Short mmCIF file of all heavy atoms in Angstrom, two decimals:
data_model
loop_
_atom_site.label_atom_id
_atom_site.label_comp_id
_atom_site.label_asym_id
_atom_site.label_seq_id
_atom_site.Cartn_x
_atom_site.Cartn_y
_atom_site.Cartn_z
N ARG A 1 -16.82 -6.04 14.83
CA ARG A 1 -17.57 -6.48 15.87
C ARG A 1 -19.00 -6.96 15.50
O ARG A 1 -19.57 -7.80 15.94
CB ARG A 1 -17.63 -5.38 17.00
CG ARG A 1 -18.29 -5.89 18.20
CD ARG A 1 -18.32 -4.86 19.42
NE ARG A 1 -16.92 -4.64 19.88
CZ ARG A 1 -16.33 -5.40 20.83
NH1 ARG A 1 -16.90 -6.45 21.37
NH2 ARG A 1 -15.12 -5.11 21.18
N ASP A 2 -19.56 -6.12 14.46
CA ASP A 2 -20.90 -6.44 14.06
C ASP A 2 -20.98 -7.51 12.97
O ASP A 2 -22.02 -7.82 12.38
CB ASP A 2 -21.66 -5.13 13.57
CG ASP A 2 -21.12 -4.64 12.30
OD1 ASP A 2 -20.20 -5.18 11.60
OD2 ASP A 2 -21.58 -3.52 11.88
N GLY A 3 -19.77 -8.09 12.60
CA GLY A 3 -19.78 -9.21 11.73
C GLY A 3 -19.47 -8.93 10.30
O GLY A 3 -19.46 -9.80 9.43
N THR A 4 -19.24 -7.63 9.99
CA THR A 4 -18.90 -7.21 8.63
C THR A 4 -17.55 -7.76 8.20
O THR A 4 -16.51 -7.63 8.97
CB THR A 4 -18.87 -5.68 8.48
OG1 THR A 4 -20.18 -5.12 8.84
CG2 THR A 4 -18.55 -5.25 7.03
N ASP A 5 -17.47 -8.37 7.05
CA ASP A 5 -16.16 -9.02 6.51
C ASP A 5 -15.36 -7.87 5.83
O ASP A 5 -15.77 -7.34 4.80
CB ASP A 5 -16.45 -10.09 5.52
CG ASP A 5 -15.31 -10.85 5.13
OD1 ASP A 5 -14.16 -10.38 5.28
OD2 ASP A 5 -15.42 -11.95 4.50
N VAL A 6 -14.22 -7.57 6.43
CA VAL A 6 -13.39 -6.52 5.87
C VAL A 6 -12.06 -7.09 5.33
O VAL A 6 -11.11 -6.41 5.28
CB VAL A 6 -13.12 -5.41 6.94
CG1 VAL A 6 -14.39 -4.54 7.15
CG2 VAL A 6 -12.60 -5.97 8.24
N SER A 7 -12.02 -8.46 5.16
CA SER A 7 -10.80 -9.12 4.78
C SER A 7 -10.18 -8.49 3.46
O SER A 7 -9.00 -8.36 3.46
CB SER A 7 -11.16 -10.66 4.51
OG SER A 7 -11.74 -11.21 5.67
N ALA A 8 -11.03 -8.28 2.54
CA ALA A 8 -10.52 -7.68 1.21
C ALA A 8 -9.72 -6.45 1.45
O ALA A 8 -8.67 -6.24 0.88
CB ALA A 8 -11.69 -7.50 0.21
N ALA A 9 -10.23 -5.56 2.30
CA ALA A 9 -9.48 -4.33 2.61
C ALA A 9 -8.19 -4.59 3.25
O ALA A 9 -7.11 -3.94 2.95
CB ALA A 9 -10.35 -3.39 3.45
N PHE A 10 -8.10 -5.51 4.21
CA PHE A 10 -6.87 -5.89 4.88
C PHE A 10 -5.90 -6.51 3.88
O PHE A 10 -4.72 -6.19 3.93
CB PHE A 10 -7.18 -6.80 6.10
CG PHE A 10 -7.48 -6.11 7.29
CD1 PHE A 10 -8.77 -5.55 7.45
CD2 PHE A 10 -6.61 -5.86 8.37
CE1 PHE A 10 -9.12 -4.79 8.64
CE2 PHE A 10 -6.89 -5.22 9.48
CZ PHE A 10 -8.26 -4.66 9.69
N ILE A 11 -6.36 -7.39 2.98
CA ILE A 11 -5.50 -8.00 2.01
C ILE A 11 -4.94 -6.94 1.03
O ILE A 11 -3.73 -6.89 0.77
CB ILE A 11 -6.20 -9.14 1.36
CG1 ILE A 11 -6.44 -10.24 2.34
CG2 ILE A 11 -5.38 -9.65 0.09
CD1 ILE A 11 -7.48 -11.31 1.75
N SER A 12 -5.75 -6.06 0.56
CA SER A 12 -5.38 -5.04 -0.24
C SER A 12 -4.32 -4.09 0.40
O SER A 12 -3.35 -3.75 -0.25
CB SER A 12 -6.63 -4.10 -0.68
OG SER A 12 -6.25 -3.06 -1.57
N GLY A 13 -4.57 -3.71 1.63
CA GLY A 13 -3.64 -2.89 2.36
C GLY A 13 -2.33 -3.61 2.56
O GLY A 13 -1.18 -2.99 2.38
N ALA A 14 -2.38 -4.89 2.82
CA ALA A 14 -1.07 -5.67 2.93
C ALA A 14 -0.34 -5.69 1.70
O ALA A 14 0.95 -5.49 1.68
CB ALA A 14 -1.45 -7.10 3.44
N HIS A 15 -0.99 -5.82 0.51
CA HIS A 15 -0.26 -5.86 -0.74
C HIS A 15 0.25 -4.44 -1.12
O HIS A 15 1.35 -4.37 -1.63
CB HIS A 15 -1.16 -6.34 -1.91
CG HIS A 15 -1.27 -7.87 -1.85
ND1 HIS A 15 -0.32 -8.67 -2.30
CD2 HIS A 15 -2.27 -8.69 -1.35
CE1 HIS A 15 -0.67 -9.96 -2.13
NE2 HIS A 15 -1.93 -10.05 -1.48
N ALA A 16 -0.48 -3.44 -0.77
CA ALA A 16 0.07 -2.09 -0.94
C ALA A 16 1.35 -1.80 -0.06
O ALA A 16 2.32 -1.20 -0.50
CB ALA A 16 -0.99 -0.98 -0.57
N ALA A 17 1.34 -2.29 1.19
CA ALA A 17 2.52 -2.14 2.05
C ALA A 17 3.72 -2.92 1.46
O ALA A 17 4.82 -2.41 1.41
CB ALA A 17 2.15 -2.62 3.48
N LEU A 18 3.48 -4.17 1.02
CA LEU A 18 4.44 -4.93 0.44
C LEU A 18 5.02 -4.24 -0.83
O LEU A 18 6.28 -4.16 -1.03
CB LEU A 18 3.96 -6.34 0.00
CG LEU A 18 4.93 -7.28 -0.68
CD1 LEU A 18 6.21 -7.51 0.13
CD2 LEU A 18 4.28 -8.52 -1.17
N ALA A 19 4.20 -3.78 -1.71
CA ALA A 19 4.68 -3.01 -2.90
C ALA A 19 5.57 -1.90 -2.55
O ALA A 19 6.60 -1.63 -3.14
CB ALA A 19 3.52 -2.57 -3.72
N LEU A 20 5.20 -1.12 -1.51
CA LEU A 20 6.03 0.03 -1.11
C LEU A 20 7.36 -0.46 -0.58
O LEU A 20 8.37 0.07 -0.88
CB LEU A 20 5.27 0.90 -0.05
CG LEU A 20 5.96 2.11 0.46
CD1 LEU A 20 6.27 3.06 -0.60
CD2 LEU A 20 5.10 2.66 1.63
N CYS A 21 7.29 -1.47 0.24
CA CYS A 21 8.57 -2.04 0.83
C CYS A 21 9.49 -2.50 -0.34
O CYS A 21 10.67 -2.30 -0.27
CB CYS A 21 8.24 -3.20 1.75
SG CYS A 21 7.61 -2.72 3.31
N GLN A 22 8.88 -3.12 -1.30
CA GLN A 22 9.73 -3.64 -2.41
C GLN A 22 10.25 -2.53 -3.28
O GLN A 22 11.49 -2.53 -3.68
CB GLN A 22 8.97 -4.61 -3.29
CG GLN A 22 8.68 -5.93 -2.57
CD GLN A 22 7.69 -6.89 -3.33
OE1 GLN A 22 6.82 -6.43 -4.01
NE2 GLN A 22 7.95 -8.13 -3.13
N GLN A 23 9.46 -1.45 -3.48
CA GLN A 23 9.91 -0.28 -4.28
C GLN A 23 10.99 0.43 -3.52
O GLN A 23 11.97 0.94 -4.22
CB GLN A 23 8.76 0.70 -4.45
CG GLN A 23 7.69 0.21 -5.47
CD GLN A 23 6.45 1.12 -5.45
OE1 GLN A 23 6.41 2.07 -4.65
NE2 GLN A 23 5.48 0.76 -6.25
N GLN A 24 10.99 0.49 -2.32
CA GLN A 24 11.96 1.21 -1.49
C GLN A 24 13.03 0.34 -0.97
O GLN A 24 13.94 0.87 -0.11
CB GLN A 24 11.25 2.00 -0.32
CG GLN A 24 10.18 3.03 -0.82
CD GLN A 24 10.88 4.13 -1.62
OE1 GLN A 24 11.90 4.63 -1.30
NE2 GLN A 24 10.21 4.52 -2.65
N ASN A 25 13.05 -0.91 -1.27
CA ASN A 25 14.05 -1.88 -0.84
C ASN A 25 14.12 -1.95 0.68
O ASN A 25 15.22 -2.07 1.29
CB ASN A 25 15.47 -1.63 -1.44
CG ASN A 25 16.35 -2.79 -1.37
OD1 ASN A 25 15.86 -3.86 -1.37
ND2 ASN A 25 17.61 -2.53 -1.19
N ILE A 26 12.99 -1.96 1.33
CA ILE A 26 12.80 -2.03 2.76
C ILE A 26 12.96 -3.52 3.20
O ILE A 26 12.37 -4.39 2.66
CB ILE A 26 11.47 -1.41 3.20
CG1 ILE A 26 11.56 0.13 2.97
CG2 ILE A 26 11.26 -1.73 4.71
CD1 ILE A 26 10.21 0.76 3.19
N LYS A 27 13.85 -3.73 4.21
CA LYS A 27 14.12 -5.07 4.67
C LYS A 27 13.61 -5.29 6.05
O LYS A 27 13.56 -6.40 6.56
CB LYS A 27 15.58 -5.39 4.58
CG LYS A 27 16.21 -5.27 3.21
CD LYS A 27 15.63 -6.23 2.33
CE LYS A 27 16.25 -6.10 0.92
NZ LYS A 27 15.52 -6.77 -0.12
N LEU A 28 13.33 -4.21 6.90
CA LEU A 28 12.87 -4.29 8.27
C LEU A 28 11.61 -3.41 8.38
O LEU A 28 11.57 -2.33 7.80
CB LEU A 28 13.88 -3.74 9.15
CG LEU A 28 15.26 -4.38 9.16
CD1 LEU A 28 16.23 -3.62 9.97
CD2 LEU A 28 15.20 -5.82 9.68
N ALA A 29 10.60 -3.88 9.13
CA ALA A 29 9.35 -3.06 9.32
C ALA A 29 9.02 -3.08 10.88
O ALA A 29 9.07 -4.06 11.48
CB ALA A 29 8.19 -3.64 8.53
N LEU A 30 8.76 -1.88 11.31
CA LEU A 30 8.26 -1.71 12.70
C LEU A 30 6.73 -1.54 12.69
O LEU A 30 6.20 -0.65 12.03
CB LEU A 30 8.91 -0.44 13.28
CG LEU A 30 8.37 -0.16 14.77
CD1 LEU A 30 8.78 -1.36 15.70
CD2 LEU A 30 9.04 1.10 15.16
N LEU A 31 6.03 -2.48 13.16
CA LEU A 31 4.58 -2.57 13.12
C LEU A 31 3.91 -2.43 14.52
O LEU A 31 4.64 -2.48 15.51
CB LEU A 31 4.18 -3.83 12.40
CG LEU A 31 4.76 -4.09 11.05
CD1 LEU A 31 4.42 -5.45 10.50
CD2 LEU A 31 4.33 -2.98 10.09
N LYS A 32 2.60 -2.49 14.53
CA LYS A 32 1.86 -2.30 15.81
C LYS A 32 1.45 -3.61 16.43
O LYS A 32 0.79 -4.46 15.77
CB LYS A 32 0.53 -1.47 15.52
CG LYS A 32 -0.33 -1.30 16.80
CD LYS A 32 0.34 -0.48 17.73
CE LYS A 32 -0.58 -0.39 19.02
NZ LYS A 32 0.23 -0.70 20.25
#
């Protein structure tokens, strides 16, 4: 809300989630 760019954290988190899905052979994800 105050204009701080948090894109890098979101991208890093997305890649961590993808890595976990790939390691565990996850094909479906329930998200918010």
Side-chain angles (χ1 to χ4, degrees):
R1 185 176 294 276
D2 69 5
T4 303
D5 186 344
V6 292
S7 303
F10 275 76
I11 293 168
S12 176
H15 283 283
L18 174 62
L20 181 61
C21 288
Q22 290 173 330
Q23 289 169 358
Q24 299 297 319
N25 198 30
I26 293 170
K27 302 295 181 197
L28 304 170
L30 177 62
L31 305 173
K32 178 67 183 129

